[in-house]
Structures are given as C-alpha cells and as structure tokens.
Amino acid sequence: MEDHLGYQLRRASNLVMATLADQLGEIGLTVVETSILILISRNAGIFQSEIGRVLGIKRANVAPLVSALERRDLVSRTSPEGRAVGLTTTQAGYDLSVRAEMIMRENDDRLFSATPQGACEAIRSALDDLWRSRVEKPARED
Amino acid sequence: MEDHLGYQLRRASNLVMATLADQLGEIGLTVVETSILILISRNAGIFQSEIGRVLGIKRANVAPLVSALERRDLVSRTSPEGRAVGLTTTQAGYDLSVRAEMIMRENDDRLFSATPQGACEAIRSALDDLWRSRVEKPARED
DNA sequence: TATTGTTATACTCTATAACTATA
DNA sequence: TATAGTTATAGAGTATAACAATA
C-alpha cells in the first residue's frame, strides 16, 4: 500500500490527528472544535456557513459544534436571537484558542522535527494546491 | 489554520479520501476494505492481527471487516475453523483487488497531477518517515 | 502467559434530507 | 429565490473493554 500516495496521506493524517486529539483533549477540545474556535478567534463576526466553507464542514455539522462552544461560553453570537449573526470568541474562548494553537504548533514541530525544512515547504505547498483546487470547483452542493 | 501542517494534512486527506471513496464505492468497497483486500492479495497467509499492525487498525475492528470480505467470497481462511489461520484472496477477491489498485493509482495521478514530481517524492518520503517513527515505538497497547 | 480472534459499545466526523427563517 | 441556520438520521472509522481460544 505504501506506493499509493493517497493512502499514505490518509495513514499519516490519522496518526497525526490521533496524537493531536490526545493533546487537545487535555484542554477539553476535539480537533474540529479547535479548528472552529481558532477560525472564529481570527475572524470575529464570521458566519457559520462561512466556517463550513473554509474548513470543509457541512453547514448541518457546523451548527451543533458551534452550539456546544456557545453553551461552554467560549463563543458568542453578536446578537442574541435571530439568524445569520456574526460569531466572536469570549475572553475564555480566545484564551483557550491561544493554548490550542500552541498545542498544534508543538504537535507539528514534534512530528516533523525529522523532516527537512524544504520538504515541509513542499508538502505545505502541495497540500495547499490540492485544497484550493477543490474549493475553486463548481461549488459543491450541500 | 493554513499555517498548521498537521491540520493541512488532515484536510487534504479528507478531500482525497472522499473522492477515492466515491470511486471505490462503484466496485463495492470502502477505503479500509480495499486496504485490507490489497494487503491480503499481496501477502497470502497473513494473520488478522498483522493486518491490524500494518494498517494501523485495531484487532477489534479488523475482525468484522475481514468477516464481511469472507461473506462476500473475496477472502478465505486457509483452514475453515479455528483461529490464527492465514488469509488468502479468492480469485474474485484478487480480481477485485487489481481493479481497486487501478482506481487508487488513477486517483493519485489525478489529484497530484499539478504537483511536481520532486514534491511528490518529498511528500512520500516524509509521510513514510512519519509512519515508521510510529510503528517503531514501544508497541502501542490495544 | 502472551497472542489471536471476537463481540459489544460508544464516540467523532461526515453526509443527506427536510424544515424554518431571513435578505 | 437564494442564503443561513437547525434538526434528525445514517454510515464509516476508530477506541476501549471484556471474553474465549490457542500457542
């Protein structure tokens, strides 16, 4: 199976995510929750639908995730009732996002410590191209 | 989030696997079933426990997957009853594994067609190192 | 005793469909 | 009408625990 790049990617991703999930679990977050929390912290006022588009998560799946973050007072809606209102992190949410980012960076550094800098850049660039070639498509239906 | 390599890896993996799952679905296989079928086809006599170790799947999860392949007459046990018996593909299972490999290769080629050959090699090598640094660990408990 | 295989169960993530509300 | 949000449901993948059978 090692000669299939797609499969290698999957296996490596599962491995990296398993260790990252352990680390993030210690501050009470899952990987997806973390990605949403950080995205909101960096983009105050963002809509749920945009979170879904940026992170590749269906609208239907963003809803319960954001609700959970809101219940835990990590995220708040700029206007309490109604829809299509921007999301922001609370102070606690922002603080947690900073800790989460630190954990993610440490995870990256540890896992790729043996990987030459040039290779890291090649991977980053290739994976980014891969992702952009997707989001630029006809606009995947829901 | 784009500056976190681990997260980029996850997102790219999800994307690649979604399209691969579609393709393999057309021949009635999931991604994990395919990985098991191909592994058996290339390693006649392999044990379930070894499949788990090689592919990073828990023993407990290999059992129902192999059972399903056996029910569909794609895989057979060398000795009908008892345990710890080697697995082999049937003729139908082997034929299907060949088709599956073709699909996986086409998927790789299509997705990484824009990626320079050198970058592909860098990715392959880095992901392989990553995986081997894992399996060489103390022997993860079940 | 250590390894292998099995079953049951639960959680995470993602997908689809159907519905409501809003611009 | 198109977009945004919600709810319910289903499936794939993985994790843990407990148990039986085997070497």
Side-chain angles (χ1 to χ4, degrees):
Chain A
M1 298 297 298
E2 290 75 23
D3 42 330
H4 293 288
L5 196 45
Y7 191 77
Q8 255 197 322
L9 196 62
R10 173 178 184 270
R11 205 171 53 171
S13 168
N14 285 352
L15 174 58
V16 171
M17 287 308 115
T19 68
L20 181 58
D22 281 348
Q23 301 291 319
L24 291 174
E26 289 177 16
I27 60 171
L29 292 173
T30 66
V31 175
V32 176
E33 285 171 344
T34 301
S35 68
I36 292 177
L37 186 63
I38 291 177
L39 187 63
I40 296 174
S41 79
R42 293 197 193 172
N43 299 276
I46 194 170
F47 286 10
Q48 286 189 189
S49 51
E50 185 142 17
I51 292 176
R53 275 192 295 271
V54 173
L55 299 179
I57 310 170
K58 292 267 183 288
R59 255 193 358 262
N61 297 321
V62 175
L65 291 166
V66 167
S67 293
L69 293 175
E70 200 185 7
R71 260 197 311 278
R72 292 163 63 187
D73 283 320
L74 298 172
V75 158
S76 70
R77 298 173 201 268
T78 49
S79 134
E81 83 294 330
R83 291 145 186 280
V85 296
L87 297 167
T88 53
T89 50
T90 61
Q91 184 62 47
Y94 178 77
D95 292 346
L96 197 60
S97 81
V98 170
R99 295 183 60 192
E101 287 222 57
M102 212 179 311
I103 289 174
M104 289 182 70
R105 197 165 308 282
E106 284 167 3
N107 203 246
D108 276 3
D109 290 349
R110 185 161 34 76
L111 287 164
F112 293 93
S113 60
T115 305
Q117 184 64 25
C120 279
E121 283 315 309
I123 294 175
R124 194 185 298 280
S125 159
L127 296 185
D128 201 51
D129 288 349
L130 204 63
W131 179 255
R132 278 190 289 104
S133 76
R134 180 258 189 192
V135 294
E136 282 162 7
K137 270 179 189 166
R140 258 175 74 60
E141 73 290 350
D142 253 24
Chain B
M1 297 296 299
E2 289 74 24
D3 43 328
H4 293 289
L5 196 45
Y7 191 78
Q8 256 198 322
L9 198 61
R10 172 179 185 271
R11 205 170 54 168
S13 167
N14 285 354
L15 174 58
V16 172
M17 287 309 116
T19 68
L20 181 58
D22 281 349
Q23 300 292 319
L24 291 174
E26 290 178 14
I27 60 170
L29 291 174
T30 66
V31 174
V32 177
E33 283 171 347
T34 301
S35 69
I36 292 177
L37 187 62
I38 291 177
L39 187 62
I40 296 174
S41 79
R42 292 195 192 173
N43 299 276
I46 193 172
F47 285 11
Q48 284 189 190
S49 51
E50 185 144 16
I51 291 174
R53 275 193 295 272
V54 172
L55 298 180
I57 310 171
K58 293 267 185 286
R59 256 194 356 263
N61 297 321
V62 175
L65 290 166
V66 167
S67 293
L69 293 175
E70 199 184 9
R71 262 196 310 278
R72 292 163 64 187
D73 283 319
L74 298 173
V75 158
S76 70
R77 297 173 201 269
T78 50
S79 132
E81 84 292 331
R83 291 147 186 281
V85 296
L87 298 167
T88 53
T89 49
T90 61
Q91 183 62 45
Y94 177 77
D95 293 345
L96 197 61
S97 80
V98 170
R99 295 182 60 193
E101 288 222 56
M102 213 177 312
I103 289 174
M104 290 182 71
R105 196 163 310 281
E106 284 167 3
N107 204 245
D108 276 2
D109 290 349
R110 184 162 34 76
L111 288 164
F112 293 94
S113 59
T115 306
Q117 183 64 25
C120 278
E121 283 315 309
I123 293 175
R124 195 185 297 282
S125 159
L127 296 185
D128 201 52
D129 287 350
L130 204 63
W131 180 254
R132 276 191 287 104
S133 77
R134 180 261 186 190
V135 296
E136 280 161 10
K137 269 178 191 165
R140 256 175 74 61
E141 72 291 349
D142 252 24

